[in-house]
Structures are given as structure tokens and as C-alpha cells.
Amino acid sequence: MIRNVRLTVRDWDGTLRHERYLKHADPALQMDVPADGFEAGRTGYAGCLELTFQAIWATLGAQERDLLELDTLDELGVWHREYAGVVVKSGNSQLTRRHSNFKATGLKKRTTEVRLVADVPEGDAGAQLRAALQAVIASNQLGSAIVYDPAAIPDTGVIVGKFPARGRKLSDLCDYLAGQAGRVWDVDADRKLFLRPTSLTAITLTEGIDVRPTYEDTDSEALVTRVMFNLGTVEGEPYLYAVDSPDLSSFGTSVKDVLFSSSQAWALQAFTTALISGGIEGVTLPELAAGGTGRDEDPVLNEYGVPIVVNIFSITTGETVAYPVVEFTLTQATRRIWIDLYTAGVYRTEPPPALGDNLAEIQVTLPEFAGYPNITLNSRNGQDVRFTQHLYPLPGNAEFPAGTKVKLVGLKNNLVLYGFRPEQLNMAVLGPLAAFHFVTPRRDPATITARGRVTPQPMLNLMRADGSTYETTTESVTLHLKLNALGVSVIKAGQREPAEDRAARWLGQVALADAVQDSVLFKAGQ
């Protein structure tokens, strides 16, 4: 039973102005709202959607772009936060004896109106969003309208590369990072921006006199059954990989392009190592072993910036020893091979390499057929040089098969192997991420009306009167509030937001995806 309702009015920046109540001993603190009360909507993840009501303007004093917080008081004397948003329709101050219409929309709207003040460095998607939100708040574009709570934006375990973002919408960044990490984001009734994992937690109801469903028509305007991942570029061309929805055979192919240049898209594969000639006998490769990182993550550098031989393999020789040859053999199929090495003329005894000197040769031998061209690494500037080389299968072949041998032949002394990583697509990441982007028609959408307050959850589980179960996603929960009544919750389930709204959000993601792509192309051109 709702015993009282409180509206807190704040300035645009979150500064408290005043509070008003449906019932209060001081008439100056009491607002005049008609008996049909308030309607406050939230998503299944409790992000605030819309608040509508009527009031005599002078008794509330909420102006355009003010913030509103709605709380209800229960029979036990406990206040419950139901909603927070920004006023977009503020009645009419000239109507002193008549009710006028008020409407607020969730504070997610404010994220579409402010701009990022810095580019985004590489890091965990959660850390990137925390830093960006703090910077926007510090720039005074939001004031304290949106509350920063690091616990509401935890790390995701997904690393996203750096990209230019200055001047773009905060909402675009939220959409992009949520898509990369397979999360959902919004702003809740406590004015906190959150980034949460997708969830199967459900509202559980039983059809009856207090719970009545109305079943509606199916909408299939929005459809995504294939996610085409762009994983970067290979010789100026995009490296694409498709993940299909299990529903593709039922609905046909509808593709969504997703840029995902993060290293999280790749997983290290197993291989063996052999020192064929030269070098230092008996050296092991602990950091290059399969299951490790494939490289020394924190090498010690000498005064020339070259890694010292600590836990990495040095293909370095003295003047009397033959140039080194090291051979790697793949024991698992691999989609690409990553090699990183240094050369430094001052590292031991040799003079620095001259411009155009051949330093090393990469030879790839395939178990079933020949024809992979040798790759020669050249000194580009006569200075200490670091080389990073990615090897991809020949056209028409998706993978390097198990048994492929990669031989690194030194043509100069003083080469230091920093990393060797045979990599395969990481389906433990790409599969769930694709599932987040799939959109299929929701069969038999419904609107369920239930007496009392229903706490929003992402899913709905309704036990029907005939004993069957109706299970689907929750799109919104709208609470209808009246004084001295239980209230009524209207749940929209199994429905999709209009295709136009989804398209508008995707455009924001595409804008940031283009920025990341620009960054990838720039690196490739260096």
C-alpha cells in the first residue's frame, strides 16, 4: 500500500532545490496531483524510461530540464526510489488552478547531449567507461546529474584498443563499449550509470485475478542472424569472420557488421621449439611456451632500449659462431602467426646495420603443399629496429595446419626474439559477443498487468491459467502509482524496441567503430 509519494526537484546539475509530497503537514510542501497519480517506466535492467503525471504547476515548481526523483512510502514507513529523470515537459506556470502535464525521461538522455573530452586509451572496457564518465563530469557538462559509482561499472575482462573519441557523444561510447564487452548499460533510479552483464534473472508471476496477460502481434522488423566481425586489416583488406545465429535457418540471413580489433579475439595455440644452429645452446623459452603469453610481458631493457636476455630467447651469437636458426612447429591449426624480434648493432660487438641490410629471413614450410614465400626483414633506418611480422595463410586457405614449420634464419648477429604467437580465433569470446548482437522476432509478445509493485528483471516467467509457462524477455515495467493503493505494474514482454530506435543507437556505434578502424589503418601504415 502506498502511503505517500515524494518528488525531489533538482537543478539541471543535480543541486537540490526542494521536495514536495502528496501528503504533508506543511501545505507549502504539498503538491496537487490528481487521483490518477503517476506512471513511472523502467527497463528490465532497471534503467529509467519515462515518468508522466499531472500537477498544478505552482505546487510543484519543476521547470524545464530540472531533475526529478520519485519515491514512494510503504506501510512500514520505508521510502522506495522508483524513478529519476530529466524534465522534458514542464506544464504551464500560467495555469494556477488547473492541472497541466509533466513528463520526464531517463537520464540516459543526458548522455546523448554531452561530449567526450579525451580520446580513449587501451584498457578494459569497464575502466575505459569509468575514466570517460569521470572526465565528462569533471568538465561540468553534467554537474552531478549522473552519479559516478565505480561499483556500477566494473571491469569486464574484455580489453579494447585505444581509439580517438574526443568530441563524440558519451552515449556512443557507452553503446560501443557495451557491444564490445557483451554488456548492457543505462542510468538507474539512483542516477547511477551502470554497465552490467546480460542476465536471465526473471520476474515470476502466476496468471489469475491479480495478474492478467494480453497477447499481441509479433513484430519482425528488426532482424540480425549473422554477425560479421571485422578483426582488423591484412594488407589493407579487412579480416572478416562470420558467426551465425542458430535461428538463421528459420529466418534467413541478415548481417550486422561489428568491428572487434581487440586482442581478446585471438587465443594462443600450442607449438614446439628447436634451436637448429648457432645461438646459445640449452636456452629454454618459458615465456613462449603454449599456454603462456607468447612473449615476455615485462622485459628488462638495456641502455639502448633492447630486451636483455631474461626469460626470452636470444638469437645472438659471437663473432666465431654461426648465425642462428630457430624452428617452431605448430601442433594445432592456426589462423595467424605473430613474430616480434629486435636487432641492435650496439647490443654486443657488431656495428649497427646499414640501411637496407637484410637481418633475418622467415621460412614457412607447410606439411601438405609448398609455395609460401620467404619473408626477408630489412633494416629500414640503420638504427636499432624492432620488427613485428604477422603471417597469414595463403589465399584460399583458412588456417596453417598442424605440422606447419616456421624457421627464423638470422642473417646478422644480435637478434633478440621477443615473441612468437600462433593464434586461433577465440570462440569463447566471439561466440557470446555475437549472441549479444543477434536480433530475432519475439513470438507472441504480451502485456501483463499485475497488482502491486513488480521489481524489474531482464526476463519474465509467467505460469498461465492452463498450466503452461510463458517465458520471454522483459522490455519495460511501468508502475502506476496512486495514494492509498497497491499500485499496478504493467509489464511489456517479448517485444522489441522499434527498428528505427535500434538503428539510431547503431549509428552511434558505427561512428566509434569508424574511429577505431581509422586507428587500425594508421598503425598498419606506419
Side-chain angles (χ1 to χ4, degrees):
M1 191 73 68
I2 298 171
R3 294 306 187 190
N4 204 352
V5 176
R6 176 177 64 204
L7 275 179
T8 302
V9 181
R10 298 179 180 272
D11 294 337
W12 69 269
D13 61 356
T15 303
L16 176 65
R17 189 185 306 156
H18 57 252
E19 295 175 340
R20 294 293 183 265
Y21 300 80
L22 282 184
K23 295 194 306 182
H24 201 279
D26 184 353
L29 298 180
Q30 188 165 308
M31 57 185 166
D32 189 326
V33 174
D36 52 2
F38 304 82
E39 294 183 9
R42 288 188 281 176
T43 70
Y45 285 90
C48 290
L49 292 171
E50 189 172 281
L51 171 68
T52 58
F53 62 96
Q54 291 185 324
I56 294 180
W57 191 93
T59 67
L60 178 60
Q63 303 173 10
E64 56 277 5
R65 291 312 192 137
D66 283 346
L67 307 185
L68 286 182
E69 297 170 345
L70 175 68
D71 298 273
T72 58
L73 182 69
D74 66 18
E75 294 173 298
L76 300 178
V78 178
W79 286 100
H80 301 271
R81 175 62 52 83
E82 309 289 0
Y83 183 89
V86 55
V87 175
V88 293
K89 183 180 290 186
S90 53
N92 193 314
S93 61
Q94 300 304 309
L95 298 177
T96 58
R97 297 185 179 182
R98 291 171 48 198
H99 296 101
S100 54
N101 296 315
F102 286 80
K103 176 181 174 181
T105 191
L107 283 165
K108 190 174 186 177
K109 178 178 178 61
R110 292 290 290 123
T111 68
T112 70
E113 299 171 336
V114 297
R115 296 297 185 267
L116 300 171
V117 297
D119 294 335
V120 178
E122 179 178 355
D124 185 277
Q128 290 174 320
L129 183 51
R130 290 195 300 271
L133 178 59
Q134 285 181 289
V136 170
I137 292 174
S139 71
N140 204 35
Q141 297 179 70
L142 286 171
S144 60
I146 292 179
V147 176
Y148 171 72
D149 181 358
I153 312 174
D155 284 348
T156 65
V158 175
I159 304 300
V160 179
K162 66 180 181 179
F163 56 93
R166 187 190 305 269
R168 299 181 184 273
K169 297 177 184 177
L170 175 58
S171 60
D172 289 348
L173 178 67
C174 294
D175 284 338
Y176 179 72
L177 294 179
Q180 294 286 291
R183 300 296 196 270
V184 293
W185 76 277
D186 212 320
V187 183
D188 65 17
D190 292 317
R191 310 199 332 264
K192 296 178 180 179
L193 192 152
F194 63 79
L195 184 70
R196 297 174 184 166
T198 55
S199 171
L200 298 179
T201 307
I203 299 168
T204 301
L205 298 171
T206 301
E207 184 177 354
I209 191 170
D210 291 334
V211 178
R212 296 185 178 276
T214 301
Y215 297 100
E216 302 169 5
D217 297 332
T218 298
D219 177 11
S220 59
E221 187 171 3
L223 179 69
V224 175
T225 55
R226 172 174 292 165
V227 172
M228 186 65 71
F229 286 107
N230 183 338
L231 302 175
T233 58
V234 180
E235 296 181 354
E237 296 294 326
Y239 189 91
L240 304 177
Y241 184 75
V243 178
D244 290 345
S245 164
D247 297 312
L248 184 143
S249 60
S250 299
F251 301 110
T253 301
S254 180
V255 181
K256 177 182 179 182
D257 296 314
V258 174
L259 180 68
F260 190 62
S261 59
S262 168
S263 60
Q264 298 290 313
W266 299 93
L268 180 66
Q269 298 296 90
F271 62 95
T272 61
T273 308
L275 182 66
I276 305 301
S277 65
I280 302 173
E281 297 293 345
V283 171
T284 59
L285 304 177
E287 293 295 333
L288 301 185
T293 63
R295 63 181 178 182
D296 187 352
E297 297 290 353
D298 189 23
V300 178
L301 306 181
N302 67 8
E303 66 266 37
Y304 306 108
V306 177
I308 297 175
V309 187
V310 177
N311 288 337
I312 60 175
F313 182 68
S314 173
I315 316 175
T316 185
T317 68
E319 294 181 356
T320 61
V321 182
Y323 292 137
V325 177
V326 62
E327 184 175 75
F328 302 95
T329 302
L330 307 184
T331 56
Q332 292 178 293
T334 296
R335 280 188 174 264
R336 74 176 185 183
I337 300 169
W338 176 92
I339 298 173
D340 199 2
L341 60 87
Y342 281 86
T343 179
V346 293
Y347 185 50
R348 289 292 170 86
T349 58
E350 284 193 352
L355 181 66
D357 270 3
N358 293 337
L359 304 174
E361 186 174 76
I362 299 172
Q363 302 173 359
V364 178
T365 305
L366 303 171
E368 297 180 0
F369 53 90
Y372 202 99
N374 293 340
I375 299 172
T376 301
L377 304 181
N378 302 96
S379 174
R380 294 172 295 181
N381 54 15
Q383 304 297 320
D384 297 346
V385 176
R386 177 180 178 180
F387 291 93
T388 299
Q389 182 73 43
H390 281 104
L391 308 180
Y392 289 90
L394 292 172
N397 299 278
E399 298 176 323
F400 293 106
T404 297
K405 296 183 182 297
V406 180
K407 187 180 292 184
L408 185 60
V409 180
L411 303 178
K412 281 281 186 180
N413 287 337
N414 310 324
L415 297 179
V416 178
L417 182 64
Y418 176 57
F420 179 85
R421 282 182 59 91
E423 296 177 321
Q424 184 59 274
L425 292 176
N426 190 351
M427 293 310 299
V429 171
L430 295 179
L433 181 57
F436 178 78
H437 292 280
F438 292 144
V439 179
T440 54
R442 296 291 182 178
R443 299 187 185 279
D444 304 322
T447 298
I448 297 95
T449 302
R451 291 187 66 198
R453 178 190 292 105
V454 172
T455 300
Q457 300 290 351
M459 303 294 294
L460 171 71
N461 188 318
L462 174 67
M463 180 63 70
R464 300 180 62 183
D466 62 5
S468 63
T469 301
Y470 174 71
E471 296 179 332
T472 188
T473 56
T474 302
E475 301 303 324
S476 67
V477 178
T478 300
L479 184 58
H480 296 245
L481 302 170
K482 297 181 181 181
L483 198 61
N484 297 321
L486 285 175
V488 174
S489 296
V490 178
I491 305 159
K492 289 189 176 295
Q495 301 169 2
R496 287 284 180 184
E497 62 184 318
E500 293 79 6
D501 293 346
R502 292 184 62 85
R505 293 197 299 111
W506 289 357
L507 287 175
Q509 296 187 47
V510 168
L512 279 180
D514 288 344
V516 179
Q517 183 68 29
D518 291 343
S519 178
V520 171
L521 291 173
F522 175 74
K523 291 178 184 176
Q526 285 185 316

PDB file of all heavy atoms in Angstrom, residues 119-149:
ATOM      1  N   ASP A 119      40.463  11.317 -25.816  1.00  0.00           N
ATOM      2  CA  ASP A 119      40.493  10.047 -26.528  1.00  0.00           C
ATOM      3  C   ASP A 119      40.533   8.902 -25.518  1.00  0.00           C
ATOM      4  O   ASP A 119      40.815   9.106 -24.330  1.00  0.00           O
ATOM      5  CB  ASP A 119      41.707   9.984 -27.454  1.00  0.00           C
ATOM      6  CG  ASP A 119      41.618  10.993 -28.585  1.00  0.00           C
ATOM      7  OD1 ASP A 119      40.484  11.382 -28.929  1.00  0.00           O
ATOM      8  OD2 ASP A 119      42.674  11.403 -29.112  1.00  0.00           O
ATOM      9  N   VAL A 120      40.264   7.690 -25.995  1.00  0.00           N
ATOM     10  CA  VAL A 120      40.150   6.536 -25.110  1.00  0.00           C
ATOM     11  C   VAL A 120      41.407   5.687 -25.207  1.00  0.00           C
ATOM     12  O   VAL A 120      41.729   5.181 -26.286  1.00  0.00           O
ATOM     13  CB  VAL A 120      38.910   5.695 -25.474  1.00  0.00           C
ATOM     14  CG1 VAL A 120      38.818   4.460 -24.584  1.00  0.00           C
ATOM     15  CG2 VAL A 120      37.643   6.533 -25.345  1.00  0.00           C
ATOM     16  N   PRO A 121      42.154   5.519 -24.105  1.00  0.00           N
ATOM     17  CA  PRO A 121      43.355   4.677 -24.151  1.00  0.00           C
ATOM     18  C   PRO A 121      42.974   3.196 -24.124  1.00  0.00           C
ATOM     19  O   PRO A 121      41.857   2.827 -23.762  1.00  0.00           O
ATOM     20  CB  PRO A 121      44.100   5.075 -22.876  1.00  0.00           C
ATOM     21  CG  PRO A 121      43.007   5.478 -21.926  1.00  0.00           C
ATOM     22  CD  PRO A 121      41.944   6.119 -22.786  1.00  0.00           C
ATOM     23  N   GLU A 122      43.909   2.347 -24.496  1.00  0.00           N
ATOM     24  CA  GLU A 122      43.663   0.902 -24.437  1.00  0.00           C
ATOM     25  C   GLU A 122      43.421   0.472 -22.998  1.00  0.00           C
ATOM     26  O   GLU A 122      44.043   0.978 -22.057  1.00  0.00           O
ATOM     27  CB  GLU A 122      44.860   0.129 -25.007  1.00  0.00           C
ATOM     28  CG  GLU A 122      44.676  -1.383 -24.955  1.00  0.00           C
ATOM     29  CD  GLU A 122      45.846  -2.142 -25.575  1.00  0.00           C
ATOM     30  OE1 GLU A 122      46.750  -1.481 -26.126  1.00  0.00           O
ATOM     31  OE2 GLU A 122      45.843  -3.380 -25.505  1.00  0.00           O
ATOM     32  N   GLY A 123      42.512  -0.459 -22.809  1.00  0.00           N
ATOM     33  CA  GLY A 123      42.240  -0.950 -21.464  1.00  0.00           C
ATOM     34  C   GLY A 123      40.976  -1.766 -21.409  1.00  0.00           C
ATOM     35  O   GLY A 123      40.315  -2.016 -22.424  1.00  0.00           O
ATOM     36  N   ASP A 124      40.642  -2.215 -20.213  1.00  0.00           N
ATOM     37  CA  ASP A 124      39.392  -2.939 -20.006  1.00  0.00           C
ATOM     38  C   ASP A 124      38.219  -2.013 -20.330  1.00  0.00           C
ATOM     39  O   ASP A 124      38.251  -0.813 -20.021  1.00  0.00           O
ATOM     40  CB  ASP A 124      39.307  -3.412 -18.555  1.00  0.00           C
ATOM     41  CG  ASP A 124      38.088  -4.272 -18.296  1.00  0.00           C
ATOM     42  OD1 ASP A 124      36.991  -3.708 -18.066  1.00  0.00           O
ATOM     43  OD2 ASP A 124      38.209  -5.501 -18.336  1.00  0.00           O
ATOM     44  N   ALA A 125      37.185  -2.553 -20.968  1.00  0.00           N
ATOM     45  CA  ALA A 125      36.040  -1.731 -21.371  1.00  0.00           C
ATOM     46  C   ALA A 125      35.423  -1.009 -20.176  1.00  0.00           C
ATOM     47  O   ALA A 125      34.999   0.143 -20.287  1.00  0.00           O
ATOM     48  CB  ALA A 125      34.993  -2.594 -22.071  1.00  0.00           C
ATOM     49  N   GLY A 126      35.360  -1.680 -19.023  1.00  0.00           N
ATOM     50  CA  GLY A 126      34.820  -1.025 -17.833  1.00  0.00           C
ATOM     51  C   GLY A 126      35.680   0.140 -17.379  1.00  0.00           C
ATOM     52  O   GLY A 126      35.171   1.215 -17.045  1.00  0.00           O
ATOM     53  N   ALA A 127      36.999  -0.058 -17.377  1.00  0.00           N
ATOM     54  CA  ALA A 127      37.910   1.015 -16.973  1.00  0.00           C
ATOM     55  C   ALA A 127      37.839   2.183 -17.952  1.00  0.00           C
ATOM     56  O   ALA A 127      37.903   3.353 -17.545  1.00  0.00           O
ATOM     57  CB  ALA A 127      39.339   0.481 -16.883  1.00  0.00           C
ATOM     58  N   GLN A 128      37.698   1.883 -19.238  1.00  0.00           N
ATOM     59  CA  GLN A 128      37.575   2.950 -20.231  1.00  0.00           C
ATOM     60  C   GLN A 128      36.330   3.795 -19.979  1.00  0.00           C
ATOM     61  O   GLN A 128      36.368   5.021 -20.055  1.00  0.00           O
ATOM     62  CB  GLN A 128      37.531   2.351 -21.628  1.00  0.00           C
ATOM     63  CG  GLN A 128      38.852   1.759 -22.097  1.00  0.00           C
ATOM     64  CD  GLN A 128      38.713   1.051 -23.433  1.00  0.00           C
ATOM     65  OE1 GLN A 128      37.723   0.370 -23.688  1.00  0.00           O
ATOM     66  NE2 GLN A 128      39.698   1.202 -24.297  1.00  0.00           N
ATOM     67  N   LEU A 129      35.215   3.139 -19.662  1.00  0.00           N
ATOM     68  CA  LEU A 129      33.977   3.883 -19.431  1.00  0.00           C
ATOM     69  C   LEU A 129      34.044   4.676 -18.130  1.00  0.00           C
ATOM     70  O   LEU A 129      33.582   5.820 -18.071  1.00  0.00           O
ATOM     71  CB  LEU A 129      32.787   2.920 -19.407  1.00  0.00           C
ATOM     72  CG  LEU A 129      31.408   3.560 -19.249  1.00  0.00           C
ATOM     73  CD1 LEU A 129      31.195   4.676 -20.267  1.00  0.00           C
ATOM     74  CD2 LEU A 129      30.312   2.516 -19.364  1.00  0.00           C
ATOM     75  N   ARG A 130      34.637   4.097 -17.099  1.00  0.00           N
ATOM     76  CA  ARG A 130      34.780   4.835 -15.835  1.00  0.00           C
ATOM     77  C   ARG A 130      35.583   6.115 -16.040  1.00  0.00           C
ATOM     78  O   ARG A 130      35.189   7.195 -15.584  1.00  0.00           O
ATOM     79  CB  ARG A 130      35.448   3.948 -14.778  1.00  0.00           C
ATOM     80  CG  ARG A 130      34.603   2.811 -14.285  1.00  0.00           C
ATOM     81  CD  ARG A 130      35.165   2.210 -12.999  1.00  0.00           C
ATOM     82  NE  ARG A 130      36.509   1.696 -13.154  1.00  0.00           N
ATOM     83  CZ  ARG A 130      36.821   0.467 -13.538  1.00  0.00           C
ATOM     84  NH1 ARG A 130      35.840  -0.387 -13.839  1.00  0.00           N
ATOM     85  NH2 ARG A 130      38.077   0.074 -13.630  1.00  0.00           N
ATOM     86  N   ALA A 131      36.705   6.001 -16.736  1.00  0.00           N
ATOM     87  CA  ALA A 131      37.563   7.173 -16.965  1.00  0.00           C
ATOM     88  C   ALA A 131      36.839   8.223 -17.802  1.00  0.00           C
ATOM     89  O   ALA A 131      36.918   9.423 -17.522  1.00  0.00           O
ATOM     90  CB  ALA A 131      38.858   6.743 -17.637  1.00  0.00           C
ATOM     91  N   ALA A 132      36.119   7.774 -18.829  1.00  0.00           N
ATOM     92  CA  ALA A 132      35.418   8.727 -19.696  1.00  0.00           C
ATOM     93  C   ALA A 132      34.314   9.452 -18.934  1.00  0.00           C
ATOM     94  O   ALA A 132      34.146  10.675 -19.069  1.00  0.00           O
ATOM     95  CB  ALA A 132      34.831   8.002 -20.896  1.00  0.00           C
ATOM     96  N   LEU A 133      33.547   8.729 -18.115  1.00  0.00           N
ATOM     97  CA  LEU A 133      32.473   9.360 -17.350  1.00  0.00           C
ATOM     98  C   LEU A 133      33.036  10.352 -16.340  1.00  0.00           C
ATOM     99  O   LEU A 133      32.502  11.473 -16.189  1.00  0.00           O
ATOM    100  CB  LEU A 133      31.638   8.293 -16.640  1.00  0.00           C
ATOM    101  CG  LEU A 133      30.503   8.811 -15.754  1.00  0.00           C
ATOM    102  CD1 LEU A 133      29.526   9.655 -16.561  1.00  0.00           C
ATOM    103  CD2 LEU A 133      29.774   7.657 -15.076  1.00  0.00           C
ATOM    104  N   GLN A 134      34.103   9.985 -15.649  1.00  0.00           N
ATOM    105  CA  GLN A 134      34.716  10.907 -14.699  1.00  0.00           C
ATOM    106  C   GLN A 134      35.174  12.186 -15.393  1.00  0.00           C
ATOM    107  O   GLN A 134      34.996  13.292 -14.863  1.00  0.00           O
ATOM    108  CB  GLN A 134      35.905  10.236 -14.007  1.00  0.00           C
ATOM    109  CG  GLN A 134      35.516   9.213 -12.951  1.00  0.00           C
ATOM    110  CD  GLN A 134      36.748   8.613 -12.300  1.00  0.00           C
ATOM    111  OE1 GLN A 134      37.486   7.843 -12.918  1.00  0.00           O
ATOM    112  NE2 GLN A 134      36.995   8.971 -11.066  1.00  0.00           N
ATOM    113  N   ALA A 135      35.757  12.041 -16.580  1.00  0.00           N
ATOM    114  CA  ALA A 135      36.244  13.215 -17.304  1.00  0.00           C
ATOM    115  C   ALA A 135      35.095  14.113 -17.738  1.00  0.00           C
ATOM    116  O   ALA A 135      35.187  15.347 -17.671  1.00  0.00           O
ATOM    117  CB  ALA A 135      37.064  12.780 -18.519  1.00  0.00           C
ATOM    118  N   VAL A 136      33.978  13.510 -18.186  1.00  0.00           N
ATOM    119  CA  VAL A 136      32.819  14.312 -18.593  1.00  0.00           C
ATOM    120  C   VAL A 136      32.239  15.048 -17.388  1.00  0.00           C
ATOM    121  O   VAL A 136      31.888  16.236 -17.469  1.00  0.00           O
ATOM    122  CB  VAL A 136      31.759  13.415 -19.263  1.00  0.00           C
ATOM    123  CG1 VAL A 136      30.468  14.198 -19.468  1.00  0.00           C
ATOM    124  CG2 VAL A 136      32.272  12.895 -20.595  1.00  0.00           C
ATOM    125  N   ILE A 137      32.127  14.365 -16.251  1.00  0.00           N
ATOM    126  CA  ILE A 137      31.615  15.015 -15.037  1.00  0.00           C
ATOM    127  C   ILE A 137      32.532  16.157 -14.623  1.00  0.00           C
ATOM    128  O   ILE A 137      32.072  17.252 -14.268  1.00  0.00           O
ATOM    129  CB  ILE A 137      31.454  13.982 -13.905  1.00  0.00           C
ATOM    130  CG1 ILE A 137      30.321  13.009 -14.243  1.00  0.00           C
ATOM    131  CG2 ILE A 137      31.174  14.682 -12.574  1.00  0.00           C
ATOM    132  CD1 ILE A 137      30.177  11.861 -13.257  1.00  0.00           C
ATOM    133  N   ALA A 138      33.852  15.919 -14.684  1.00  0.00           N
ATOM    134  CA  ALA A 138      34.811  16.959 -14.299  1.00  0.00           C
ATOM    135  C   ALA A 138      34.740  18.166 -15.222  1.00  0.00           C
ATOM    136  O   ALA A 138      35.072  19.277 -14.819  1.00  0.00           O
ATOM    137  CB  ALA A 138      36.226  16.384 -14.273  1.00  0.00           C
ATOM    138  N   SER A 139      34.297  17.975 -16.464  1.00  0.00           N
ATOM    139  CA  SER A 139      34.196  19.083 -17.417  1.00  0.00           C
ATOM    140  C   SER A 139      32.966  19.952 -17.166  1.00  0.00           C
ATOM    141  O   SER A 139      32.752  20.936 -17.871  1.00  0.00           O
ATOM    142  CB  SER A 139      34.147  18.535 -18.843  1.00  0.00           C
ATOM    143  OG  SER A 139      32.906  17.888 -19.103  1.00  0.00           O
ATOM    144  N   ASN A 140      32.129  19.569 -16.194  1.00  0.00           N
ATOM    145  CA  ASN A 140      30.931  20.316 -15.784  1.00  0.00           C
ATOM    146  C   ASN A 140      29.845  20.337 -16.851  1.00  0.00           C
ATOM    147  O   ASN A 140      28.960  21.195 -16.828  1.00  0.00           O
ATOM    148  CB  ASN A 140      31.291  21.749 -15.376  1.00  0.00           C
ATOM    149  CG  ASN A 140      30.238  22.333 -14.431  1.00  0.00           C
ATOM    150  OD1 ASN A 140      29.673  21.616 -13.606  1.00  0.00           O
ATOM    151  ND2 ASN A 140      29.955  23.627 -14.559  1.00  0.00           N
ATOM    152  N   GLN A 141      29.862  19.385 -17.766  1.00  0.00           N
ATOM    153  CA  GLN A 141      28.758  19.287 -18.719  1.00  0.00           C
ATOM    154  C   GLN A 141      27.516  18.676 -18.076  1.00  0.00           C
ATOM    155  O   GLN A 141      26.393  18.949 -18.492  1.00  0.00           O
ATOM    156  CB  GLN A 141      29.169  18.429 -19.918  1.00  0.00           C
ATOM    157  CG  GLN A 141      30.314  18.986 -20.739  1.00  0.00           C
ATOM    158  CD  GLN A 141      30.656  18.054 -21.877  1.00  0.00           C
ATOM    159  OE1 GLN A 141      29.905  17.903 -22.832  1.00  0.00           O
ATOM    160  NE2 GLN A 141      31.810  17.400 -21.774  1.00  0.00           N
ATOM    161  N   LEU A 142      27.750  17.832 -17.069  1.00  0.00           N
ATOM    162  CA  LEU A 142      26.647  17.146 -16.388  1.00  0.00           C
ATOM    163  C   LEU A 142      26.432  17.628 -14.965  1.00  0.00           C
ATOM    164  O   LEU A 142      25.372  17.380 -14.388  1.00  0.00           O
ATOM    165  CB  LEU A 142      26.922  15.634 -16.337  1.00  0.00           C
ATOM    166  CG  LEU A 142      26.769  14.838 -17.632  1.00  0.00           C
ATOM    167  CD1 LEU A 142      27.299  13.425 -17.432  1.00  0.00           C
ATOM    168  CD2 LEU A 142      25.315  14.810 -18.062  1.00  0.00           C
ATOM    169  N   GLY A 143      27.416  18.314 -14.395  1.00  0.00           N
ATOM    170  CA  GLY A 143      27.364  18.564 -12.973  1.00  0.00           C
ATOM    171  C   GLY A 143      27.369  17.227 -12.255  1.00  0.00           C
ATOM    172  O   GLY A 143      28.128  16.312 -12.599  1.00  0.00           O
ATOM    173  N   SER A 144      26.486  17.068 -11.267  1.00  0.00           N
ATOM    174  CA  SER A 144      26.336  15.781 -10.583  1.00  0.00           C
ATOM    175  C   SER A 144      24.994  15.143 -10.926  1.00  0.00           C
ATOM    176  O   SER A 144      24.458  14.349 -10.150  1.00  0.00           O
ATOM    177  CB  SER A 144      26.463  15.969  -9.070  1.00  0.00           C
ATOM    178  OG  SER A 144      25.455  16.863  -8.594  1.00  0.00           O
ATOM    179  N   ALA A 145      24.448  15.510 -12.099  1.00  0.00           N
ATOM    180  CA  ALA A 145      23.162  14.937 -12.510  1.00  0.00           C
ATOM    181  C   ALA A 145      23.245  13.423 -12.606  1.00  0.00           C
ATOM    182  O   ALA A 145      22.339  12.701 -12.173  1.00  0.00           O
ATOM    183  CB  ALA A 145      22.736  15.527 -13.861  1.00  0.00           C
ATOM    184  N   ILE A 146      24.331  12.913 -13.209  1.00  0.00           N
ATOM    185  CA  ILE A 146      24.597  11.481 -13.226  1.00  0.00           C
ATOM    186  C   ILE A 146      25.669  11.199 -12.186  1.00  0.00           C
ATOM    187  O   ILE A 146      26.717  11.848 -12.159  1.00  0.00           O
ATOM    188  CB  ILE A 146      25.037  11.016 -14.619  1.00  0.00           C
ATOM    189  CG1 ILE A 146      23.855  11.139 -15.597  1.00  0.00           C
ATOM    190  CG2 ILE A 146      25.554   9.592 -14.589  1.00  0.00           C
ATOM    191  CD1 ILE A 146      24.181  10.722 -17.017  1.00  0.00           C
ATOM    192  N   VAL A 147      25.392  10.237 -11.327  1.00  0.00           N
ATOM    193  CA  VAL A 147      26.278   9.935 -10.204  1.00  0.00           C
ATOM    194  C   VAL A 147      27.318   8.908 -10.644  1.00  0.00           C
ATOM    195  O   VAL A 147      26.965   7.866 -11.225  1.00  0.00           O
ATOM    196  CB  VAL A 147      25.469   9.396  -9.008  1.00  0.00           C
ATOM    197  CG1 VAL A 147      26.398   8.987  -7.872  1.00  0.00           C
ATOM    198  CG2 VAL A 147      24.465  10.446  -8.538  1.00  0.00           C
ATOM    199  N   TYR A 148      28.578   9.200 -10.385  1.00  0.00           N
ATOM    200  CA  TYR A 148      29.646   8.249 -10.698  1.00  0.00           C
ATOM    201  C   TYR A 148      29.812   7.282  -9.539  1.00  0.00           C
ATOM    202  O   TYR A 148      30.093   7.679  -8.415  1.00  0.00           O
ATOM    203  CB  TYR A 148      30.965   8.970 -10.955  1.00  0.00           C
ATOM    204  CG  TYR A 148      32.144   8.024 -11.080  1.00  0.00           C
ATOM    205  CD1 TYR A 148      32.278   7.226 -12.208  1.00  0.00           C
ATOM    206  CD2 TYR A 148      33.093   7.914 -10.073  1.00  0.00           C
ATOM    207  CE1 TYR A 148      33.342   6.344 -12.332  1.00  0.00           C
ATOM    208  CE2 TYR A 148      34.165   7.039 -10.184  1.00  0.00           C
ATOM    209  CZ  TYR A 148      34.279   6.252 -11.317  1.00  0.00           C
ATOM    210  OH  TYR A 148      35.331   5.377 -11.427  1.00  0.00           O
ATOM    211  N   ASP A 149      29.623   5.992  -9.809  1.00  0.00           N
ATOM    212  CA  ASP A 149      29.828   4.940  -8.821  1.00  0.00           C
ATOM    213  C   ASP A 149      30.643   3.848  -9.491  1.00  0.00           C
ATOM    214  O   ASP A 149      30.133   3.114 -10.346  1.00  0.00           O
ATOM    215  CB  ASP A 149      28.487   4.382  -8.340  1.00  0.00           C
ATOM    216  CG  ASP A 149      28.657   3.290  -7.279  1.00  0.00           C
ATOM    217  OD1 ASP A 149      29.818   2.950  -6.956  1.00  0.00           O
ATOM    218  OD2 ASP A 149      27.640   2.776  -6.783  1.00  0.00           O
TER     219      ASP A 149
END
